[in-house]
Structure formats: structure tokens, C-alpha cells
């Protein structure tokens, strides 16, 4: 780095309840310098996998270490040590900022925001509506601030992209005073992915995002659908929390809310037990004991009826959302599949649109079977609506938003961040 050049590197942290995923990117050319993952934090068998990529994208220098990592603070210190071993330490003057995925930003944050004490306090206030995610996000931010107090830390919120939803999509039909008193409404999540994928889908179609209507199906462990009209989110399947909507790895998605009263009154379960049941013991794992779609497909192919039922319920819900968002959008230019399941499970894509020719939807078996990291069309040329696989890249999007906010130097970011905020949550 010469004296006049500005730092261009951004470290992105995605802290989950028991894991930290991270990437170091150079935003001068959007290249990746290192990627890694710490998993099973808090257990004896924690594992850190670190891959430096500066010497080439083959991952040849991959390093792995196992052994207890007590908490997220220890995990981030271990990540900092690994980066330092490659000469990419957090003390580097080439680091422009650290970007953090924050799952719940309420209504206050519709833009990426430079973190200060007030922002931390707001993320903390939202813990009850993102109990699996916000506490880990906050620990990541606090540790990173301790390690580099001089560096801008930018929070990029999962909820931000969905703040454009119209009131009729964002509100629940419950007593309006009660809802407002407790800020109960639909916020939506995975917004960084929905924004990135809807934009990439327009690119794949050779069109301006403003001219394209897309249904994005983000199918990972957590899963959500969104309806994006001309680049703006108009509806999404997750709600007050990431529990609503599609069937997920361990979450139920939509249920009759009276199921919870019934569990309490008739089954004698506590609120915490019901929370745990719906968030961690439901969805695919609750239905068939597995939450990994690869394993479920293997069992389906072997004729396992429980796995087949779980798969069918998952697909049925997905198809209902495709139908619903077709009605919400009126005209659908593309349906884009993304995240671990959406990008890799051809059987899910095929089943999700089977028999929907009347909606213009179909997959071409040969195209659908292709494995690739590139965005690609899997529908036949004759289909009225494009079905596409568009790999998501939340880390790149977080890095880009972070870098754009701090302007590649350490001034000005805060004012712009504040200007981007809505009035109140
Ligand atoms: N080849 C594959 N076929 C089917 N499913 C896959 C494949 N690879 C990954 N998955 C699914 O992707 C899921 C993880 O997706 P991902 O987007 O990484 O989730 P998250 O970010 O929520 O951890 C796994 O649970 C697994 O079911
Ligand atoms: C919001 C959410 O569900 O995130 P994840 O898929 O990472 O659990
Ligand atoms: Mg994910």
C-alpha cells in the first residue's frame, strides 16, 4: 500500500449460534484472500478450517485445527491468529473495515450502518426476536471492536432489503394497537441474499433489475422465499422472526398459531419448550430425523417412507409460496433457486415446479442436472418463465456494502449510515 492509496480489504464475519464463517476480501478487485469457518463453538470438538487464497484459488494451503474453543470471543481471536500467520492479520493497515452480518435490525436499520454503542444497544434490544442469531452477531461485533477499536465496524442487516415491503404485506391481521405497542410485524430475513440473487438474476436475463420481477427461493438450513418487483422486495416468507414460512432444516415454518396454545394447555409444555420444539426439533429433522437434504434424498431413493413424507411436505410448502408470489407479482420473469439446497438439489427444483406449465414453469432435465458455480438457466427455452440457479454470495455482498459505506477510508461512513436510517422501529 502506498501512502496515497486507501486500504481496500474488508473482513466479513457471519457469526451463527455455534459457528463463525469469515472471509477476507480485497475490494480493489473483489478477490478473496482467505476464507474460513469455526464450528461447534463451546464444545470440546470445536474445529477451525482456514484457507488462504492469496497464492491462488485452489485452497492448497488449507489448515485445520480441532480442540475446544470456549466461546465466540475465543473463536474470533483464533481467526485473527490464523490470518496473522498468512501476513493478513487484523493489525494490517490495508484493512479498511470489518463487515458483520446481523440478522435482525428491526425497523431502525434499512441500510448498512457503522457500529457505535447505540447501534450495539439496538441489536441487543432485538435479541428476543432473533434469539438464535443476534447474540452471536453482537459478540462478533464486540470482539472485533476490541481487537481493532480504530477500524469502522459495519453491520449489514438481513432485514434491510425487506423494509420496502408494503404495509399490507408487512402487517399481521392482529389488533393494530397491540401490534404497534410491541413492534409486531413481518420483517423478513436473508435479505442480503435476496438482494444479491435478484440482481444477479436480472443480469442473467440481460435486463435491468428495475424491469424484472423475480421469485427468489433461498433454501439453506434456514429457508425463505421473496417476491421482488423491479429490484424491490414486496413480500417475503419469514416474519417477526426467522420461524415463519417455508419448511426448514429444523424449523416448522408456517403453522396455525393455535398449535402453540394447544401445546401449552393440553401437552403442558412451557413457552421455552415450545420455542425449542418449533425452532430446533421441527422441519425436516422433526419429520424424519435428518435435516441434510443429501441424506433425505438418499433415503427417499432407498424407499424410506418417513424421508419421502418429509420431502413431500417440504416441496408442497415451496410450491404454495411459488403460487402465492406469482399472484403477488402478477407477472413473473424468473424463479431463482439459491443457497445450499437450492443450488445443489436438482430433485428439489424439479419437484418444486413439476406440473406448473400453466404458470409458465418447467425445468429441462438435462440443464437441471448440470453442476456449476455459475448462474444458469435450467428451464427449456420454450418456457414462459425462466427457472434459474443463481448461487448466492452473502459475504461478497456484505463486503461490497461495507466498503461502499466506508468509502475505502475511515471517514464519512458514520454520517452516511445515519442518513440511511428510518425514523423509528
Ligand atoms: N449436494 C447437495 N444436495 C442437496 N442438498 C445439499 C447439497 N449440498 C448442500 N446441501 C444442503 O444445503 C444445506 C446448507 O445450506 P447453506 O446455504 O449452507 O445453509 P446455512 O447457510 O443455513 O448453513 C444443508 O443442510 C444441505 O441439506
Ligand atoms: C435468518 C436465518 O434463518 O439465517 P440462517 O439461515 O443463517 O439460519
Ligand atoms: Mg446461510
Amino acid at each position: 500500500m502506498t501512502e496515497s492509496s486507501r486500504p481496500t480489504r474488508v473482513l466479513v464475519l457471519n457469526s451463527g449460534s455455534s459457528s463463525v464463517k469469515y472471509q477476507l476480501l480485497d475490494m480493489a478487485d473483489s478477490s478473496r484472500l482467505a476464507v474460513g469457518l469455526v464450528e461447534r463453538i463451546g464444545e470440546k470438538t470445536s474445529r477451525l478450517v482456514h484457507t488462504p487464497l492469496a497464492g491462488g484459488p485452489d485452497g492448497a494451503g488449507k489448515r485445520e485445527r480441532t480442540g475446544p474453543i470456549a466461546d465466540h470471543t475465543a473463536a474470533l481471536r483464533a481467526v485473527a491468529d490464523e490470518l496473522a500467520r498468512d501476513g493478513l492479520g487484523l493489525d494490517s493497515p490495508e484493512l479498511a473495515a470489518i463487515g458483520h452480518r446481523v440478522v435482525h435490525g428491526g425497523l431502525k436499520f434499512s441500510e448498512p450502518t457503522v457500529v457505535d454503542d447505540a447501534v450495539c444497544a439496538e441489536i441487543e434490544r432485538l435479541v428476543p426476536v432473533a434469539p438464535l442469531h443476534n447474540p452471536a452477531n453482537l459478540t462478533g461485533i464486540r470482539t472485533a471492536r476490541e481487537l481493532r477499536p480504530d477500524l469502522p465496524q459495519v453491520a449489514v442487516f438481513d432485514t434491510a432489503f425487506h423494509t420496502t415491503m408494503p404495509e399490507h404485506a408487512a402487517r399481521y391481521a392482529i389488533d393494530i394497537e397491540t401490534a404497534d405497542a410491541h413492534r409486531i410485524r413481518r420483517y423478513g430475513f436473508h435479505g442480503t441474499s435476496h438482494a444479491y440473487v435478484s440482481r444477479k438474476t436480472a443480469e442473467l436475463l440481460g435486463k435491468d433489475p428495475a424491469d424484472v420481477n423475480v421469485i427468489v427461493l433461498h433454501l439453506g438450513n434456514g429457508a425463505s422465499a421473496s417476491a421482488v418487483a423491479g429490484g424491490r422486495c414486496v413480500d417475503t416468507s419469514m416474519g417477526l422472526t426467522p420461524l415463519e414460512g417455508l419448511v426448514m432444516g429444523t424449523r416448522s415454518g408456517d403453522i396455525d398459531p393455535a398449535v402453540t396454545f394447544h401445546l401449552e394447555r393440553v401437552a403442558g409444555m412451557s413457552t421455552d419448550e415450545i420455542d425449542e420444539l418449533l425452532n430446533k426439533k421441527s422441519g425436516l429433522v422433526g419429520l424424519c430425523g435428518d435435516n441434510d437434504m443429501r441424506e433425505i434424498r438418499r433415503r427417499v431413493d432407498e424407499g424410506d417412507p418417513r424421508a419421502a413424507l418429509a420431502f413431500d411436505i417440504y416441496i408442497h410448502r415451496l410450491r404454495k409460496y411459488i403460487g402465492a408470489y406469482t399472484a403477488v407479482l402478477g407477472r413473473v420473469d424468473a424463479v431463482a433457486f439459491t443457497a445450499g439446497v437450492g443450488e445443489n438439489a436438482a430433485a428439489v427444483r424439479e419437484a418444486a415446479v413439476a406440473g406448473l406449465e400453466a404458470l409458465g414453469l418447467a425445468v429441462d432435465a438435462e440443464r437441471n442436472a448440470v453442476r456449476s458455480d455459475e448462474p444458469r438457466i435450467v428451464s427449456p427455452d420454450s418456457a414462459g418463465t425462466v427457472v434459474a440457479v443463481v448461487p448466492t454470495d452473502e459475504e461478497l455482498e456484505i463486503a461490497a456494502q461495507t466498503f461502499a459505506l466506508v468509502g475505502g477510508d475511515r471517514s464519512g461512513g458514520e454520517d452516511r449510515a445515519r442518513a440511511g436510517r428510518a425514523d423509528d422501529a
Side-chain angles (χ1 to χ4, degrees):
M1 190 179 69
T2 63
E3 192 141 7
S4 61
S5 71
R6 291 171 162 182
T8 52
R9 291 181 183 170
V10 175
L11 176 65
V12 176
L13 296 177
N14 180 350
S15 304
S17 52
S18 66
S19 70
V20 177
K21 294 180 192 163
Y22 63 94
Q23 291 193 3
L24 180 69
L25 295 102
D26 190 337
M27 297 318 290
D29 57 2
S30 297
S31 63
R32 270 169 243 267
L33 302 174
V35 303
L37 162 75
V38 190
E39 58 187 0
R40 297 194 289 276
I41 296 169
E43 294 177 35
K44 289 201 179 86
T45 57
S46 313
R47 188 168 82 113
L48 187 155
V49 185
H50 175 87
T51 308
L53 297 171
D58 59 356
K62 183 165 160 177
R63 300 194 291 272
E64 203 173 315
R65 69 173 245 223
T66 47
I69 296 180
D71 52 27
H72 281 74
T73 310
L76 281 192
R77 290 186 186 277
V79 169
D81 288 347
E82 289 301 327
L83 288 166
R85 279 179 65 187
D86 299 322
L88 301 168
L90 259 65
D91 55 354
S92 164
E94 292 178 75
L95 202 55
I98 301 181
H100 300 265
R101 176 186 181 208
V102 179
V103 163
H104 214 312
L107 281 184
K108 233 174 204 160
F109 304 111
S110 57
E111 300 285 342
T113 302
V114 174
V115 174
D116 57 16
D117 291 344
V119 172
C120 281
E122 183 62 14
I123 295 170
E124 180 136 49
R125 194 185 65 76
L126 292 162
V127 162
V129 280
L132 301 183
H133 298 93
N134 269 33
N137 304 156
L138 204 51
T139 309
I141 290 173
R142 286 185 171 140
T143 308
R145 285 179 92 194
E146 271 164 35
L147 292 171
R148 276 299 298 272
D150 59 312
L151 208 59
Q153 312 277 334
V154 175
V156 178
F157 298 91
D158 259 41
T159 42
F161 183 61
H162 303 300
T163 54
T164 53
M165 272 195 290
E167 285 292 284
H168 58 254
R171 283 207 177 260
Y172 293 109
I174 61 175
D175 173 71
I176 203 155
E177 274 90 28
T178 306
D180 285 349
H182 300 285
R183 301 177 169 103
I184 295 169
R185 59 187 284 125
R186 310 186 58 256
Y187 293 92
F189 301 89
H190 296 135
T192 307
S193 177
H194 287 288
Y196 177 84
V197 170
S198 56
R199 221 173 53 234
K200 281 276 161 188
T201 304
E203 219 173 86
L204 181 68
L205 302 186
K207 293 192 174 153
D208 191 316
D211 299 328
V212 175
N213 289 351
V214 191
I215 297 174
V216 178
L217 303 170
H218 175 108
L219 311 177
N221 234 322
S224 64
S226 69
V228 182
R232 290 165 71 85
C233 176
V234 293
D235 204 352
T236 194
S237 60
M238 284 178 167
L240 173 71
T241 78
L243 181 55
E244 192 180 341
L246 299 173
V247 175
M248 308 181 213
T250 66
R251 295 172 230 164
S252 63
D254 297 333
I255 54 165
D256 179 345
V259 169
T260 61
F261 319 147
H262 189 80
L263 287 170
E264 199 184 319
R265 293 180 187 138
V266 179
M269 290 174 73
S270 70
T271 305
D272 285 347
E273 285 166 347
I274 298 169
D275 189 327
E276 163 116 357
L277 175 80
L278 297 180
N279 271 300
K280 296 189 179 162
K281 298 181 184 162
S282 296
L284 293 169
V285 85
L287 288 165
C288 75
D290 271 308
N291 63 341
D292 191 313
M293 190 53 81
R294 282 165 289 206
E295 188 57 19
I296 291 170
R297 282 308 311 171
R298 198 189 57 71
R299 286 173 56 187
V300 172
D301 291 342
E302 281 177 357
D304 179 328
R306 289 262 307 264
L309 177 64
F311 185 78
D312 290 348
I313 294 172
Y314 183 95
I315 295 295
H316 181 67
R317 185 80 51 83
L318 195 54
R319 290 164 65 86
K320 290 214 288 195
Y321 272 92
I322 293 172
Y325 289 172
T326 299
V328 165
L329 290 168
R331 185 200 83 227
V332 182
D333 299 297
V335 175
F337 285 85
T338 196
V341 175
E343 291 166 29
N344 296 300
V348 167
R349 298 192 295 263
E350 186 189 330
V353 302
L356 297 185
E357 288 80 9
L359 298 180
L361 295 170
V363 296
D364 174 89
E366 217 165 284
R367 288 180 180 178
N368 193 36
V370 171
R371 301 193 68 85
S372 156
D373 293 334
E374 295 298 315
R376 57 199 184 275
I377 291 172
V378 299
S379 47
D381 294 336
S382 59
T385 301
V386 166
V387 179
V389 179
V390 181
T392 193
D393 197 338
E394 288 161 286
E395 285 77 17
L396 176 63
E397 180 70 10
I398 290 170
Q401 292 191 18
T402 297
F403 192 63
L405 181 62
V406 303
D409 66 11
R410 293 177 200 168
S411 62
E414 197 131 349
D415 290 344
R416 258 171 287 153
R418 288 189 190 294
R421 280 193 222 165
D423 277 338
D424 199 8

